[in-house]
Every structure is written in structure tokens, then in C-alpha cells.
mmCIF file of all heavy atoms in Angstrom:
data_model
loop_
_atom_site.group_PDB
_atom_site.id
_atom_site.type_symbol
_atom_site.label_atom_id
_atom_site.label_comp_id
_atom_site.label_asym_id
_atom_site.label_seq_id
_atom_site.Cartn_x
_atom_site.Cartn_y
_atom_site.Cartn_z
ATOM 1 N N GLY A 370 -132.728 18.620 -101.104
ATOM 2 C CA GLY A 370 -132.729 17.283 -100.532
ATOM 3 C C GLY A 370 -133.218 17.263 -99.094
ATOM 4 O O GLY A 370 -134.002 16.396 -98.706
ATOM 5 N N ASN A 371 -132.756 18.232 -98.297
ATOM 6 C CA ASN A 371 -133.161 18.329 -96.896
ATOM 7 C C ASN A 371 -134.383 19.213 -96.696
ATOM 8 O O ASN A 371 -134.840 19.382 -95.562
ATOM 9 C CB ASN A 371 -132.004 18.847 -96.045
ATOM 10 C CG ASN A 371 -130.873 17.850 -95.928
ATOM 11 O OD1 ASN A 371 -131.105 16.656 -95.781
ATOM 12 N ND2 ASN A 371 -129.641 18.340 -96.000
ATOM 13 N N LYS A 372 -134.889 19.776 -97.771
ATOM 14 C CA LYS A 372 -136.085 20.618 -97.749
ATOM 15 C C LYS A 372 -135.944 21.769 -96.756
ATOM 16 O O LYS A 372 -136.786 21.972 -95.885
ATOM 17 C CB LYS A 372 -137.315 19.767 -97.469
ATOM 18 C CG LYS A 372 -137.548 18.708 -98.529
ATOM 19 C CD LYS A 372 -138.792 17.885 -98.269
ATOM 20 C CE LYS A 372 -139.005 16.860 -99.373
ATOM 21 N NZ LYS A 372 -140.209 16.033 -99.151
ATOM 22 N N MET A 373 -134.848 22.518 -96.913
ATOM 23 C CA MET A 373 -134.566 23.660 -96.066
ATOM 24 C C MET A 373 -134.354 24.910 -96.920
ATOM 25 O O MET A 373 -133.765 24.844 -98.001
ATOM 26 C CB MET A 373 -133.317 23.424 -95.223
ATOM 27 C CG MET A 373 -133.445 22.288 -94.219
ATOM 28 S SD MET A 373 -134.499 22.729 -92.813
ATOM 29 C CE MET A 373 -133.479 23.965 -92.015
ATOM 30 N N LEU A 374 -134.826 26.032 -96.430
ATOM 31 C CA LEU A 374 -134.637 27.333 -97.057
ATOM 32 C C LEU A 374 -133.858 28.222 -96.093
ATOM 33 O O LEU A 374 -134.135 28.225 -94.892
ATOM 34 C CB LEU A 374 -135.989 27.963 -97.394
ATOM 35 C CG LEU A 374 -135.978 29.246 -98.213
ATOM 36 C CD1 LEU A 374 -135.535 28.962 -99.646
ATOM 37 C CD2 LEU A 374 -137.365 29.884 -98.205
ATOM 38 N N TYR A 375 -132.899 28.987 -96.626
ATOM 39 C CA TYR A 375 -132.036 29.805 -95.785
ATOM 40 C C TYR A 375 -132.014 31.254 -96.244
ATOM 41 O O TYR A 375 -132.239 31.569 -97.410
ATOM 42 C CB TYR A 375 -130.597 29.275 -95.807
ATOM 43 C CG TYR A 375 -130.456 27.841 -95.367
ATOM 44 C CD1 TYR A 375 -130.359 26.819 -96.310
ATOM 45 C CD2 TYR A 375 -130.420 27.509 -94.019
ATOM 46 C CE1 TYR A 375 -130.228 25.502 -95.913
ATOM 47 C CE2 TYR A 375 -130.290 26.194 -93.612
ATOM 48 C CZ TYR A 375 -130.190 25.193 -94.563
ATOM 49 O OH TYR A 375 -130.059 23.888 -94.170
ATOM 50 N N LEU A 376 -131.704 32.128 -95.302
ATOM 51 C CA LEU A 376 -131.462 33.531 -95.611
ATOM 52 C C LEU A 376 -130.233 33.982 -94.839
ATOM 53 O O LEU A 376 -130.274 34.080 -93.612
ATOM 54 C CB LEU A 376 -132.658 34.405 -95.242
ATOM 55 C CG LEU A 376 -132.502 35.896 -95.564
ATOM 56 C CD1 LEU A 376 -132.490 36.110 -97.077
ATOM 57 C CD2 LEU A 376 -133.612 36.719 -94.913
ATOM 58 N N GLN A 377 -129.137 34.218 -95.557
ATOM 59 C CA GLN A 377 -127.927 34.751 -94.952
ATOM 60 C C GLN A 377 -128.008 36.266 -94.965
ATOM 61 O O GLN A 377 -128.162 36.870 -96.028
ATOM 62 C CB GLN A 377 -126.683 34.286 -95.711
ATOM 63 C CG GLN A 377 -125.372 34.824 -95.158
ATOM 64 C CD GLN A 377 -125.054 34.294 -93.780
ATOM 65 O OE1 GLN A 377 -125.155 33.096 -93.536
ATOM 66 N NE2 GLN A 377 -124.676 35.182 -92.869
ATOM 67 N N MET A 378 -127.900 36.884 -93.794
ATOM 68 C CA MET A 378 -128.022 38.326 -93.651
ATOM 69 C C MET A 378 -126.709 38.887 -93.125
ATOM 70 O O MET A 378 -126.288 38.561 -92.013
ATOM 71 C CB MET A 378 -129.168 38.687 -92.707
ATOM 72 C CG MET A 378 -130.505 38.080 -93.111
ATOM 73 S SD MET A 378 -131.866 38.647 -92.055
ATOM 74 C CE MET A 378 -131.373 37.916 -90.487
ATOM 75 N N ASN A 379 -126.069 39.734 -93.921
ATOM 76 C CA ASN A 379 -124.811 40.367 -93.554
ATOM 77 C C ASN A 379 -124.978 41.876 -93.499
ATOM 78 O O ASN A 379 -125.919 42.431 -94.045
ATOM 79 C CB ASN A 379 -123.712 40.006 -94.556
ATOM 80 C CG ASN A 379 -123.420 38.524 -94.622
ATOM 81 O OD1 ASN A 379 -123.489 37.816 -93.619
ATOM 82 N ND2 ASN A 379 -123.068 38.042 -95.813
ATOM 83 N N SER A 380 -124.029 42.527 -92.848
ATOM 84 C CA SER A 380 -124.031 43.990 -92.740
ATOM 85 C C SER A 380 -125.379 44.514 -92.278
ATOM 86 O O SER A 380 -125.947 45.443 -92.861
ATOM 87 C CB SER A 380 -123.641 44.617 -94.089
ATOM 88 O OG SER A 380 -122.371 44.168 -94.514
ATOM 89 N N LEU A 381 -125.895 43.933 -91.226
ATOM 90 C CA LEU A 381 -127.233 44.268 -90.755
ATOM 91 C C LEU A 381 -127.311 45.709 -90.251
ATOM 92 O O LEU A 381 -126.364 46.230 -89.653
ATOM 93 C CB LEU A 381 -127.661 43.303 -89.660
ATOM 94 C CG LEU A 381 -128.084 41.930 -90.182
ATOM 95 C CD1 LEU A 381 -128.073 40.898 -89.062
ATOM 96 C CD2 LEU A 381 -129.472 42.013 -90.812
ATOM 97 N N LYS A 382 -128.453 46.322 -90.494
ATOM 98 C CA LYS A 382 -128.726 47.696 -90.112
ATOM 99 C C LYS A 382 -129.919 47.738 -89.168
ATOM 100 O O LYS A 382 -130.756 46.835 -89.191
ATOM 101 C CB LYS A 382 -129.027 48.546 -91.353
ATOM 102 C CG LYS A 382 -127.957 48.502 -92.427
ATOM 103 C CD LYS A 382 -128.408 49.267 -93.667
ATOM 104 C CE LYS A 382 -127.352 49.229 -94.754
ATOM 105 N NZ LYS A 382 -127.802 49.963 -95.974
ATOM 106 N N PRO A 383 -130.038 48.789 -88.359
ATOM 107 C CA PRO A 383 -131.204 48.896 -87.473
ATOM 108 C C PRO A 383 -132.530 48.806 -88.210
ATOM 109 O O PRO A 383 -133.494 48.254 -87.667
ATOM 110 C CB PRO A 383 -131.011 50.272 -86.819
ATOM 111 C CG PRO A 383 -129.533 50.455 -86.801
ATOM 112 C CD PRO A 383 -129.046 49.846 -88.097
ATOM 113 N N GLU A 384 -132.597 49.314 -89.429
ATOM 114 C CA GLU A 384 -133.831 49.266 -90.194
ATOM 115 C C GLU A 384 -134.197 47.866 -90.675
ATOM 116 O O GLU A 384 -135.280 47.662 -91.228
ATOM 117 C CB GLU A 384 -133.790 50.232 -91.392
ATOM 118 C CG GLU A 384 -132.569 50.065 -92.275
ATOM 119 C CD GLU A 384 -131.471 51.064 -91.949
ATOM 120 O OE1 GLU A 384 -131.212 51.295 -90.753
ATOM 121 O OE2 GLU A 384 -130.880 51.625 -92.899
ATOM 122 N N ASP A 385 -133.306 46.897 -90.483
ATOM 123 C CA ASP A 385 -133.628 45.506 -90.784
ATOM 124 C C ASP A 385 -134.435 44.851 -89.666
ATOM 125 O O ASP A 385 -134.889 43.713 -89.820
ATOM 126 C CB ASP A 385 -132.355 44.690 -91.026
ATOM 127 C CG ASP A 385 -131.602 45.123 -92.272
ATOM 128 O OD1 ASP A 385 -132.252 45.382 -93.300
ATOM 129 O OD2 ASP A 385 -130.358 45.189 -92.215
ATOM 130 N N THR A 386 -134.592 45.542 -88.549
ATOM 131 C CA THR A 386 -135.358 45.007 -87.428
ATOM 132 C C THR A 386 -136.796 44.732 -87.848
ATOM 133 O O THR A 386 -137.497 45.626 -88.331
ATOM 134 C CB THR A 386 -135.336 45.976 -86.244
ATOM 135 O OG1 THR A 386 -133.997 46.120 -85.767
ATOM 136 C CG2 THR A 386 -136.214 45.467 -85.111
ATOM 137 N N ALA A 387 -137.232 43.486 -87.675
ATOM 138 C CA ALA A 387 -138.565 43.081 -88.108
ATOM 139 C C ALA A 387 -138.798 41.631 -87.718
ATOM 140 O O ALA A 387 -137.877 40.936 -87.284
ATOM 141 C CB ALA A 387 -138.716 43.239 -89.625
ATOM 142 N N VAL A 388 -140.027 41.189 -87.892
ATOM 143 C CA VAL A 388 -140.334 39.767 -87.825
ATOM 144 C C VAL A 388 -140.200 39.212 -89.235
ATOM 145 O O VAL A 388 -140.803 39.738 -90.174
ATOM 146 C CB VAL A 388 -141.742 39.500 -87.277
ATOM 147 C CG1 VAL A 388 -142.048 38.007 -87.274
ATOM 148 C CG2 VAL A 388 -141.877 40.064 -85.869
ATOM 149 N N TYR A 389 -139.411 38.165 -89.380
ATOM 150 C CA TYR A 389 -139.153 37.567 -90.682
ATOM 151 C C TYR A 389 -139.954 36.282 -90.843
ATOM 152 O O TYR A 389 -139.942 35.414 -89.966
ATOM 153 C CB TYR A 389 -137.657 37.277 -90.845
ATOM 154 C CG TYR A 389 -136.838 38.522 -91.106
ATOM 155 C CD1 TYR A 389 -136.641 39.461 -90.099
ATOM 156 C CD2 TYR A 389 -136.287 38.759 -92.358
ATOM 157 C CE1 TYR A 389 -135.914 40.616 -90.337
ATOM 158 C CE2 TYR A 389 -135.554 39.909 -92.600
ATOM 159 C CZ TYR A 389 -135.370 40.838 -91.587
ATOM 160 O OH TYR A 389 -134.640 41.982 -91.825
ATOM 161 N N PHE A 390 -140.640 36.178 -91.973
ATOM 162 C CA PHE A 390 -141.510 35.054 -92.257
ATOM 163 C C PHE A 390 -141.008 34.252 -93.446
ATOM 164 O O PHE A 390 -140.552 34.821 -94.436
ATOM 165 C CB PHE A 390 -142.931 35.523 -92.569
ATOM 166 C CG PHE A 390 -143.590 36.270 -91.452
ATOM 167 C CD1 PHE A 390 -143.441 37.642 -91.347
ATOM 168 C CD2 PHE A 390 -144.358 35.612 -90.514
ATOM 169 C CE1 PHE A 390 -144.045 38.351 -90.329
ATOM 170 C CE2 PHE A 390 -144.978 36.306 -89.486
ATOM 171 C CZ PHE A 390 -144.820 37.676 -89.391
ATOM 172 N N CYS A 391 -141.120 32.942 -93.345
ATOM 173 C CA CYS A 391 -140.811 32.042 -94.439
ATOM 174 C C CYS A 391 -142.104 31.663 -95.154
ATOM 175 O O CYS A 391 -143.118 31.370 -94.513
ATOM 176 C CB CYS A 391 -140.117 30.791 -93.893
ATOM 177 S SG CYS A 391 -139.840 29.475 -95.089
ATOM 178 N N MET A 392 -142.071 31.680 -96.477
ATOM 179 C CA MET A 392 -143.221 31.272 -97.275
ATOM 180 C C MET A 392 -142.779 30.242 -98.302
ATOM 181 O O MET A 392 -141.839 30.477 -99.063
ATOM 182 C CB MET A 392 -143.833 32.483 -97.985
ATOM 183 C CG MET A 392 -145.140 32.192 -98.732
ATOM 184 S SD MET A 392 -144.911 31.433 -100.378
ATOM 185 C CE MET A 392 -144.201 32.801 -101.290
ATOM 186 N N ILE A 393 -143.444 29.108 -98.316
ATOM 187 C CA ILE A 393 -143.147 28.043 -99.258
ATOM 188 C C ILE A 393 -144.444 27.585 -99.905
ATOM 189 O O ILE A 393 -145.327 27.048 -99.225
ATOM 190 C CB ILE A 393 -142.439 26.858 -98.585
ATOM 191 C CG1 ILE A 393 -141.101 27.300 -97.989
ATOM 192 C CG2 ILE A 393 -142.231 25.727 -99.591
ATOM 193 C CD1 ILE A 393 -140.378 26.216 -97.221
ATOM 194 N N ARG A 394 -144.574 27.836 -101.173
ATOM 195 C CA ARG A 394 -145.741 27.414 -101.947
ATOM 196 C C ARG A 394 -147.040 27.804 -101.224
ATOM 197 O O ARG A 394 -147.937 26.985 -101.043
ATOM 198 C CB ARG A 394 -145.677 25.909 -102.210
ATOM 199 C CG ARG A 394 -144.423 25.504 -102.979
ATOM 200 C CD ARG A 394 -144.245 24.000 -103.026
ATOM 201 N NE ARG A 394 -145.221 23.366 -103.904
ATOM 202 C CZ ARG A 394 -145.033 23.160 -105.195
ATOM 203 N NH1 ARG A 394 -143.914 23.542 -105.789
ATOM 204 N NH2 ARG A 394 -145.977 22.557 -105.906
ATOM 205 N N ASN A 395 -147.107 29.058 -100.807
ATOM 206 C CA ASN A 395 -148.266 29.664 -100.160
ATOM 207 C C ASN A 395 -148.541 29.163 -98.743
ATOM 208 O O ASN A 395 -149.624 29.387 -98.198
ATOM 209 C CB ASN A 395 -149.517 29.509 -101.025
ATOM 210 C CG ASN A 395 -149.415 30.289 -102.327
ATOM 211 O OD1 ASN A 395 -148.916 31.408 -102.345
ATOM 212 N ND2 ASN A 395 -149.892 29.696 -103.405
#
């Protein structure tokens, strides 16, 4: 309805360090 996408990230590790990108229908 609000046209939002989420990513809940728990128990984060150093190897999760990165730039995170959202992709919606290309």
C-alpha cells in the first residue's frame, strides 16, 4: 500500500559491511 520495501538485518557481522542496493522491477 505504501510502496515500501524493507530489509531487517540482525546479528550483523563484519563481513556484512557493504553498500546495499534496492532493486524494484529492474
Side-chain angles (χ1 to χ4, degrees):
N371 291 320
K372 299 182 179 180
M373 296 287 292
L374 188 70
Y375 302 99
L376 181 68
Q377 179 66 47
M378 305 185 294
N379 299 325
S380 302
L381 284 162
K382 305 175 180 179
E384 52 263 43
D385 294 318
T386 296
V388 178
Y389 285 70
F390 299 89
C391 173
M392 186 279 290
I393 299 176
R394 301 170 72 89
N395 294 320

